[in-house]
Amino acid sequence: ISLSIGPLVGAGLISLVGPLGPELLAVVLTVLNAAYVLLVLPETLPPSGKAQGVCEHVRSPAETMGPLLQHPALRMVGGVVFFVNVAEQGLVSLLISYLQRHLGFGPMDIGIFALALGIMMAGSQAFLLPILLKRFETRTVVVAVSAVNALHTMLYGLVREKWQVFCVLVLA
């Protein structure tokens, strides 16, 4: 959800504070995160400040990933997921640039679009995808979703007005 709300908050900060608004918020959040790590996180507390028995079963992310990466099938799935995500983020970046240059989207327009896109994606993954996976084979769903995404991307290239972008968003 933060990936959907973040651009909208950033656009609002730019409108209210100016171009440095998102950077100032990032500085405040970074200071708060650092304070949490230094003052609260059990791994960073001195031995006298740690509660006994807390987080004994929690392993570091590196320790958790090791066994997963040793399994060939999981390495393959992890690689596919990584490259699909990189490709999708590249498409989103290009789409944002296209909307700014060709349709005159400003920061608030981009924020609203990103919020709507995130809500649509979360909704389809939470509600539509489980229904499709129950009725069809996984491979069929993956191919169909890829085809719909390709059509969806093509339709963005055909729009000529701002409002049409949101119609395409709802269609996909």
Side-chain angles (χ1 to χ4, degrees):
I1 292 176
S2 64
L3 293 174
S4 301
I5 295 172
L8 187 62
V9 170
L13 286 171
I14 288 171
S15 299
L16 294 172
V17 180
L20 291 179
E23 285 83 3
L24 293 173
L25 178 62
V27 168
V28 169
L29 291 176
T30 301
V31 169
L32 290 174
N33 283 334
Y36 175 80
V37 167
L38 293 173
L39 302 173
V40 178
L41 199 63
E43 292 83 357
T44 60
L45 294 176
S48 61
K50 290 183 183 180
Q52 294 301 319
V54 176
C55 299
E56 289 178 3
H57 65 283
V58 176
R59 297 168 52 171
S60 75
E63 288 178 306
T64 304
M65 292 301 292
L68 292 176
L69 294 176
Q70 292 174 0
H71 195 283
L74 292 177
R75 264 198 320 263
M76 173 72 82
V77 169
V80 168
V81 168
F82 173 79
F83 286 113
V84 166
N85 283 325
V86 167
E88 286 178 353
Q89 293 308 312
L91 282 174
V92 170
S93 297
L94 289 172
L95 177 60
I96 298 300
S97 177
Y98 174 81
L99 295 175
Q100 289 172 323
R101 289 188 181 143
H102 296 285
L103 297 176
F105 269 50
M108 188 58 76
D109 299 319
I110 296 294
I112 292 169
F113 172 76
L115 175 66
L117 180 64
I119 289 170
M120 295 296 290
M121 290 174 70
S124 65
Q125 290 174 13
F127 302 111
L128 182 60
L129 193 57
I131 294 169
L132 292 174
L133 288 171
K134 285 181 185 175
R135 294 187 181 191
F136 303 102
E137 292 181 25
T138 303
R139 180 184 168 104
T140 304
V141 172
V142 169
V143 170
V145 167
S146 297
V148 168
N149 283 340
L151 178 63
H152 184 226
T153 302
M154 183 184 74
L155 288 175
Y156 281 124
L158 299 175
V159 300
R160 299 290 173 242
E161 301 288 333
K162 284 183 181 182
W163 64 269
Q164 294 171 336
V165 170
F166 294 96
C167 292
V168 170
L169 182 63
V170 172
L171 287 175

